[in-house]
């Protein structure tokens, strides 16, 4: 077991290294896109373009969150953090949520200023070109993240790919607003900016909700499904008290099983080992499995809790 555990940790660290590289590359792309949108939005006084730039900046923030998660959170457990550092990701999420909240106030001010004081964007060919180019970049980012998310079975990359895809739809809405302004409907800028603001608020809510779920140890796996996998292991008579917690890509599980009371401690230990291997195979995101072995029909256990 020691050799397989070492190999698994080495594979996990190598996987994290690749994911961090992808996240860093996507971070650069997202913030180049965000910078272009924000500059053109502020220069042209376009609330919709500025709002879209803020949304792209949030995409970059999610990449920073990912880098923090794969950097700090992937550190091994130590004396001060015996269960690892995974919750640092949740703390970073809350920080990003606060940052988004501050940005939302400015977006709301710009949108209302556009609608109430008749201040509207000056649509230029250069602005349209920038928006189209950023749209192309976002589509490429979504495709790359989706590819590597599936390759490394990373829920973090797959979630971020979906997040970036939302930016594509926001950019399409902003391009529509620029077209409407150019056609003589100036209030479209402020109206679409408010729509983008609501959408970004929903994204922020999702980020904060996920962080709260992690910090409150919300269950990550279906107990019935985990029990079903466990019961498929030869030697397991019953399975109960299944508990899980952690993040989507790093989950901790503990459970109780009952075995034949006539088994020796070594035999019961082997059953627990088979349960661990089965659950790790069924759930690649598992970091640690603790199996508490008890003799069937209660009584004093002949085998102690067995950590992965």
């Amino acid at each position: 077991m020691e050799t397989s555990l070492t190999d698994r940790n080495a594979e996990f660290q190598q996987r994290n290294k690749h994911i961090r590289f992808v996240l860093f590359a996507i971070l650069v792309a997202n913030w180049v896109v965000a910078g272009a949108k924000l500059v053109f939005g502020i220069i042209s006084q376009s609330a919709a373009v500025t709002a879209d730039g803020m949304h792209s900046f949030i995409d970059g923030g999610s990449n920073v969150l990912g880098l923090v998660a794969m950097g700090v959170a992937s550190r091994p457990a130590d004396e001060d953090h015996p269960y690892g550092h995974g919750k640092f990701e949740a703390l970073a999420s809350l920080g990003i949520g606060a940052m988004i909240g501050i940005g939302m106030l400015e977006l709301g001010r710009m949108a209302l200023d556009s609608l109430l004081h008749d201040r509207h964007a000056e649509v230029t060919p250069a602005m349209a070109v920038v928006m189209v180019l950023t749209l192309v970049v976002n589509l490429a980012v979504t495709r790359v993240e989706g590819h590597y998310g599936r390759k490394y079975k990373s829920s973090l990359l797959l979630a971020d790919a979906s997040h970036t895809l939302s930016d594509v739809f926001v950019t399409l809405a902003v391009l529509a607003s620029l077209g409407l302004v150019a056609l003589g409907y100036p209030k479209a800028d402020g109206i679409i900016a408010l729509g983008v603001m609501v959408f970004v608020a929903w994204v922020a809510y999702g980020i904060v909700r996920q962080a709260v779920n992690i910090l409150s140890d919300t269950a990550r796996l279906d107990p019935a499904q985990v029990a079903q996998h466990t019961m498929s292991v030869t030697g397991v008579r019953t399975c109960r008290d299944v508990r899980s917690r952690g993040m989507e890509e790093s989950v901790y599980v503990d459970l109780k099983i009952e075995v034949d009371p006539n088994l020796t401690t070594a035999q019961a230990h082997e059953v627990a080992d088979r349960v661990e291997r089965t659950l790790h195979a069924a759930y690649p995101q598992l970091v640690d499995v603790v199996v508490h072995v008890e003799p069937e029909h209660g009584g004093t256990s002949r085998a102690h809790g067995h950590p992965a």
Side-chain angles (χ1 to χ4, degrees), residues 160-201:
D160 198 52
S162 298
H163 186 191
T164 304
L165 182 61
S166 71
D167 199 28
V168 171
F169 295 111
V170 171
T171 300
L172 288 172
V174 172
L175 283 170
S177 78
L178 295 180
L180 290 172
V181 170
L183 291 173
Y185 300 94
K187 289 188 179 295
D189 181 57
I191 293 173
I192 290 182
L194 287 175
V196 171
M197 185 178 69
V198 172
F199 183 81
V200 172

Side-chain angles (χ1 to χ4, degrees), residues 45-66:
Q45 291 297 301
S46 170
V49 174
T50 304
D52 191 17
M54 179 61 70
H55 184 246
S56 295
F57 182 75
I58 293 171
D59 280 337
S62 70
N63 297 138
V64 172
L65 170 62

